[in-house]
């Protein structure tokens, strides 16, 4: 089932009841999907596998290897320095 944000806000209890019964609700904003509401009790694949199944991510299995070249950091000597600065 699919509904816009305003519709969900106005009839939240009804949509929540339907989700509890096993339906999935896709919430849209200006006709574009922005969220999916599913029952907490539903067991499904981990979110990463769902993204792979939908073609939004790829995974060859195994652990992430990182990147060959770390991202360039402007104005600081490292990412750690930026994090320390941000925490002040």
């Amino acid at each position: 089932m699919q509904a816009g944000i305003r519709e969900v806000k106005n009839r939240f209890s009804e949509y929540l009841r339907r989700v509890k019964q096993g339906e999935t609700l896709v919430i849209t904003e200006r006709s574009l999907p922005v969220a999916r509401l599913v029952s907490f009790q539903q067991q499904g694949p981990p979110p990463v596998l769902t993204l792979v199944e939908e073609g939004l991510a790829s995974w060859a299995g195994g652990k992430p290897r990182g990147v060959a070249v770390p991202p360039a950091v402007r104005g600081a000597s490292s990412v750690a320095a930026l994090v320390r600065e941000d925490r002040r």
Side-chain angles (χ1 to χ4, degrees):
M1 111 183 94
Q2 181 172 314
I5 291 173
R6 181 178 292 155
E7 175 72 13
V8 172
K9 187 173 101 175
N10 291 337
R11 298 173 50 198
F12 185 72
S13 294
E14 178 182 336
Y15 283 110
L16 189 58
R17 178 184 52 78
R18 291 176 65 179
V19 167
K20 284 181 182 179
Q21 293 173 350
E23 291 187 55
T24 298
L25 171 63
V26 175
I27 302 171
T28 61
E29 181 179 48
R30 295 185 180 100
S31 301
L32 297 174
V34 294
R36 181 180 303 140
L37 185 62
V38 296
S39 173
F40 185 75
Q41 296 176 358
Q42 288 181 352
Q43 297 296 324
V48 172
L49 294 180
T50 303
L51 292 174
V52 171
E53 289 171 358
E54 293 175 0
L56 300 172
S58 63
W59 181 47
K63 295 181 180 178
R65 293 186 205 110
V67 294
V69 179
V73 180
R74 293 186 208 149
S77 58
S78 68
V79 173
L82 286 174
V83 171
R84 282 192 302 271
E85 181 182 315
D86 189 50
R87 289 182 178 171
R88 294 183 192 171

